[in-house]
Amino acid sequence: MTFERDAKTLELPLPFTGREDELELVRRSVAGGRHGIVVTGPAGRGKTRLVTEAVRGTDCARVAGTPETRGLPFAAFAHLVPETASLHRAVQLLSGVRLLLVDDAHLLDDASAALVHQLAVHGRTRLLVVATDGARAPGAIARLWTGELLPRLALEPLPREETAQLLAAGVGGLEALTVNRLYRMCRGDLRLLRELVDAVREQGLLNQVPDSAEWEWRGPVPVTATVRERTAHLLDRTGPGERETLDRLAFGEPLPVDAGTLDLDALERLEADGLVHVDEQGTARLAHPLHAPVLRAAAGRLKTLRLARTPADCAAALETETAALARAIGETDVRTVSAPAGEWLLNEGTGVPARHAAVRARFARLRGELREAAAWAREGLRAAADDPACRLELALAAAQSGNPELAAPPAGAGGSGGSDAEKSVVPLSGSDTDRSSESSSGARTDRGDATPARPSAGGSAATWWAAARGDLDAALGTAGEDPYDAVRLGAPERAVGRLTGVFAEHAEALVHDDGPALDRAARALEKRGFLLFAAEAYAQAVRSHRDPSAARTSRTRAVALARRCQGARTPALAGLVLGELTARQRQIVTLAAAGLSNRQIAEKLTLSIRTVGNHLYSAYARLGASDRDALPCLVELPEAQPA
């Protein structure tokens, strides 16, 4: 796979991916007896792409506001209404238009805005109106939703998992930590996302992950035209001490407020203006991830030499972060923990110590972020090729994804790739697993205690490879390492009396086949950040509920959480996700999993190739799959059966 731009080829936008609920809402709003909808959101959020997709294939008239024509009456409607028409005549002329899409409505001239408002009042034309938040819109446009003429959809940022699907469909092959970095940088700005992806490709900042088809981005952030536009206000700060304070944060954030290195008066002004954030621990950082790269790029050589930090400068902060992550794991609460020092080392490409990488991998895996866990483990193996904790985490993340290729250690880390990856990482003895658990958590899980309060490091990789192959008898035969594995594999009686807390509640509910109790356990697990465990508990509740309505609710919650678990394929989730697809999507996914191309599927089902592709992209978003290579294991997963 290469990332080369053909100079003769027009650059296409990222494909439309995700937003299925919003898409359905917009389509319903312009169908039947509905009068339309207003879609708002910040610049770059994908509003125009959403409404364009919603009206695809329909007979739709389109108008758009522009900054240059705001002073010209009916400028946006010049192709539909004569220049000399009155407002009354314009309404009459457009009364026969069934559907009208009004893009950039905040830029309409006053006459055009009044015309749109009157069309909404008359109600004969269905309106799809797009406006940008933060921009001053004509009063006639704002009154569309404040006066309750039309409902309003405030478009939220694209979630992380849908951003990953968008990148997979449009770029392909980006590893999880690169996706995370792009997601944090862009904060839902899809225009900026596209520009950054293009820039890192053009500047040669993408490197292929050794022994993998994936690509990673380490190193500097390209300061593109859109980045400069979004941060122009930052470089204009000239108040006393403000620029020095911003620069110190850009090179060293986060910094403690009380350390004497920051100008407190300047810091207060910057915080009041939303450029700096100070957390409850009294630590200051820049308010947006783009600010630091722009400030560093604008700094001169001497300032850079004076303020730039080295990996050695991060040692104490990194140790604190490692301890905080291990403590969260030990307290069975894996909700988000801030760890900027580790992320800085990762993004700079200077290398991450294996101990920190192993804890990050374990933390991510317990949260259900399996691709992220594998990526952190691989980072640790680059630093220490034989680190047992990183090897264990890599194996567990791969096994619970049902993806042997994910388990291939990076070049120089030992083992082999491809089909032999499982063999190269699975043979860890019980003592190896114990040592891995200790080194990755910072605290030993006592195997001699009859009632451990939490799961161990995640059990044996061999257990989960057996489960991935559908051999549940073999999986349960090796599940003694961690009693909670038996619960997840559908044999809770083996764990009774060996767990405490929410994990014991989960086991007891499953033993008694108690759907409501399984729902309660799932909610408790989700609250503590164990998203994969919660998805599995909800999936088990589906089979235990006597009330069909309760079963549907549990199933919906299980699917929603499973989508966030980056390709998790465990027995408890077997058959769950495919059932969430439409009948046509299931049909196309099954054929794609059997190896048929889009063209072959289109011919077989008498559909267009575009329709097949759209159904597959929608299915990827629902399944949490990155591409069609992941489909066979989804279709063929075995049903989990109690021993």
Side-chain angles (χ1 to χ4, degrees), residues 160-184:
R160 190 266 177 206
E161 56 270 21
E162 292 190 7
T163 301
Q165 293 297 326
L166 178 65
L167 289 168
V171 182
L174 296 181
E175 53 95 46
L177 299 181
T178 296
V179 172
N180 286 352
R181 189 180 186 189
L182 287 165
Y183 177 70
R184 286 194 302 269

Side-chain angles (χ1 to χ4, degrees), residues 484 486-490 492 495-496 499-514 517-522 524-525 532-541 572:
Y484 193 58
V487 180
R488 298 177 62 195
L489 292 170
V496 171
L499 294 166
T500 62
V502 65
F503 307 108
E505 294 170 11
H506 184 183
E508 289 290 339
L510 193 57
V511 164
H512 294 100
D513 201 23
D514 187 336
L518 282 167
D519 282 342
R520 289 193 295 272
L525 288 164
L532 176 54
F533 298 167
E536 291 173 334
Y538 276 127
Q540 291 165 338

Side-chain angles (χ1 to χ4, degrees), residues 227-248:
V227 169
R228 290 192 184 93
E229 176 189 332
R230 299 284 192 273
T231 57
H233 62 291
L234 192 71
L235 301 178
D236 293 336
R237 300 298 297 221
T238 58
E242 290 183 351
R243 187 57 183 270
E244 176 69 13
T245 299
L246 289 170
D247 286 336
R248 285 186 177 277

Side-chain angles (χ1 to χ4, degrees), residues 531-555:
L531 301 188
L532 176 54
F533 298 167
E536 291 173 334
Y538 276 127
Q540 291 165 338
V542 173
R543 305 176 181 102
S544 298
H545 276 301
R546 310 298 183 263
D547 178 3
S549 176
R552 284 194 297 272
T553 300
S554 296
R555 187 171 176 279

Side-chain angles (χ1 to χ4, degrees), residues 315-338:
L318 190 68
E319 189 64 28
T320 299
E321 290 177 6
T322 305
L325 289 162
R327 185 166 54 252
I329 293 170
E331 293 171 354
T332 62
D333 188 341
V334 292
R335 286 172 287 188
T336 303
V337 173
S338 177

